Every structure is written in C-alpha cells, then in structure tokens.
C-alpha cells in the first residue's frame, strides 16, 4: 500500500509568482484535503476535494485554488504569492465523506517566498 | 467557531518520566478528537482518536488519551517517555457536517532529557 506522497519537497519562489504543489493520495482514497502550516503553528485547513469537486473551504483567499484528478491525485495552486505564504503545505487523503474519516498525511512541501 | 487550545508551548521531561499534554476544545457539540505527532521535517502521524464510546483511548507508541466532556478536554498521556518521543504534538478536532475539516491546536513541543 502506497502512502500519501507530495512533490516537490522544497520550493523557493519570489513574491508575485505562482506555484503548483502536487499530492498523490493513498491507494483506495478518494478524498484529499490541503493544510497550510506556518512556522510554529498548527496546520490550517485550506480546502478539501472529493471525487474531483471542492467540498469545503477554510478561510483562505481565492488565489488559493485546487484540482482533483480522476485518479484522485490533487494539485494546490497559489497565485500572486505573498511573503506570508511561506509555510509547510500538507496534503491528507481519506476515503469517503460520511462521518469523520481518518486522514493520512503526506510529508509536506516546504514553500519559501522571498 | 470551534477552537483548540494547547496551553503548553514547550514541555521538557526526563526519559522514563510520565507525560501529560493538555488539550481543550471549544464547541457546543461533541467533537471527534485526535492527537497527531510531527517529527522535524516530517508530516503528521496519527497517535490516537476518539469518536465515541469508552472515553479512555489507547494509541500507538504507548500513548493514551482521556476524553472528559465536563472539562472539554482530551489530554494525552504516556507513563514512561522515551528519548525518541521528542517531537511536536498536535491536538485536533473535527465535527460532523464540516467536511471532515480538522481544526488543530498550536502544538506542544516535547523535549526529552537523558
């Protein structure tokens, strides 16, 4: 069974640029959630995708957008990068939406915005 | 809005000593409760979870946690800490009807002295 993988591991961008982060969900999982973890903070929910549709969004501006593909992998896109976007971005996968499902986290992508 | 409080930012214990990490949540309904551990540069690993039933739950690596509804708490305990337990610990809550969105506390960094 393959766990959740994310790419790239690290990324450095400059303010105003755009970035795409990728996540492959665990085998058999159809739900992907994205979290932002700023330094010294707990992860914050960005949004969730279920069967290629957005299914819930946290308090993040529209320049944070995502996609989920038919194989349930996912992308997180951030436009017009700001310095405060520097963080560890975590992807978590789970199966289904009924009730509360255990989520399995990937190792994260460390984004630095200069 | 729901919130999670981990009042201890940093805790230091000696190897072999007992450990208790505190977690309080704020919300009217009964939440689903989780404890995650994060080692440096790593993603989040689930230690244990409480959905319903017995309020004392056992997890991996010898950890346990007790849900106390009257105190809105879900404290994590371990009777004897090992040096390898040094990490960041996050308490998280979720509620039905919120798309399995996890709300995390700010974390407690555990240091273990030999």
């Amino acid at each position: 069974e393959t766990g959740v993988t994310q790419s790239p591991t690290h990324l450095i961008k400059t303010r105003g640029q755009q970035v795409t982060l990728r996540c492959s969900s665990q085998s058999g999982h159809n739900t992907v959630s994205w979290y932002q973890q700023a330094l010294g903070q707990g992860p914050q929910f960005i949004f969730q995708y279920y069967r290629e549709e957005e299914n819930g969004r946290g308090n993040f501006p529209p320049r944070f957008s995502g996609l989920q593909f038919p194989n349930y992998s996912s992308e997180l896109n951030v436009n017009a990068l700001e310095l405060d976007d520097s963080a560890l971005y975590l992807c978590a996968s789970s199966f289904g939406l009924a009730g509360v499902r255990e989520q399995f986290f990937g190792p994260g992508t460390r984004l630095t915005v200069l | 809005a729901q919130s999670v409080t981990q009042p201890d930012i940093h805790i230091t214990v000696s190897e072999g000593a007992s450990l208790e990490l505190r977690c309080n949540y704020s919300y009217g309904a009964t939440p689903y409760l989780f404890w995650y551990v994060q080692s440096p540069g790593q993603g989040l690993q689930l230690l244990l979870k409480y959905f319903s039933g017995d309020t004392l739950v056992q997890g991996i690596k010898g950890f346990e946690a007790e849900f106390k509804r009257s105190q809105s708490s879900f404290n994590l305990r371990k009777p004897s800490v090992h040096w390898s337990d040094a990490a960041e610990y996050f308490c998280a809550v979720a509620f039905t009807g919120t798309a399995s969105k996890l709300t995390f506390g700010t974390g407690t960094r555990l240091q273990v002295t030999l």
Side-chain angles (χ1 to χ4, degrees):
Chain A
E1 182 179 271
T2 305
V4 179
T5 60
Q6 293 186 242
S7 62
T9 306
H10 296 86
L11 203 52
I12 299 175
K13 292 285 188 178
T14 56
R15 195 169 48 182
Q17 285 189 311
Q18 177 266 342
V19 68
T20 297
L21 311 181
R22 295 178 175 81
C23 170
S24 291
S25 59
Q26 184 166 309
S27 177
H29 287 180
N30 55 13
T31 305
V32 172
S33 303
W34 285 92
Y35 293 81
Q36 180 196 65
Q37 186 179 14
L39 196 62
Q41 300 296 315
Q44 287 197 306
F45 176 77
I46 303 175
F47 43 55
Q48 182 181 80
Y49 278 83
Y50 172 66
R51 292 186 173 182
E52 303 179 57
E53 296 285 331
E54 186 178 293
N55 183 59
R57 188 178 182 92
N59 188 28
F60 281 81
R63 59 189 185 83
F64 284 78
S65 63
L67 282 173
Q68 187 178 32
F69 300 98
N71 66 355
Y72 304 126
S73 65
S74 177
E75 285 183 354
L76 164 65
N77 299 289
V78 187
N79 294 320
L81 283 167
E82 301 177 0
L83 298 179
D84 285 348
D85 295 334
S86 294
L88 180 68
Y89 288 85
L90 296 165
C91 164
S93 76
S94 55
F95 178 77
L97 291 179
V100 175
R101 299 291 178 149
E102 180 177 341
Q103 299 184 40
F104 294 83
F105 284 82
T109 294
R110 173 74 62 187
L111 172 65
T112 302
V113 182
L114 302 176
Chain B
Q2 61 264 29
S3 65
V4 180
T5 301
Q6 293 181 248
D8 304 306
I9 296 173
H10 188 195
I11 284 183
T12 301
V13 299
S14 300
E15 189 175 40
S18 64
L19 172 70
E20 182 168 28
L21 302 182
R22 296 182 291 166
C23 173
N24 293 91
Y25 66 90
S26 172
Y27 194 68
T30 299
Y32 299 94
L33 297 155
F34 306 80
W35 275 99
Y36 284 88
V37 61
Q38 186 177 40
S39 298
Q42 302 295 313
L44 296 166
Q45 182 183 22
L46 180 67
L47 287 175
L48 47 77
K49 60 185 183 288
Y50 172 77
F51 284 3
S52 65
D54 192 348
T55 57
L56 183 64
V57 294
Q58 302 297 320
I60 62 171
K61 305 185 178 185
F63 286 94
E64 67 176 27
E66 185 172 13
F67 170 56
K68 293 186 177 180
R69 186 190 307 273
S70 61
Q71 298 177 19
S72 298
S73 69
F74 189 56
N75 294 348
L76 181 71
R77 300 193 295 248
K78 187 170 185 177
S80 178
V81 170
H82 188 264
W83 64 266
S84 61
D85 293 325
E88 187 94 23
Y89 290 80
F90 293 95
C91 179
V93 301
F95 303 92
T96 55
T98 58
S100 298
K101 168 189 125 176
L102 292 174
T103 299
F104 286 87
T106 52
T108 297
R109 178 163 295 281
L110 173 64
Q111 183 177 358
V112 180
T113 58
L114 299 176

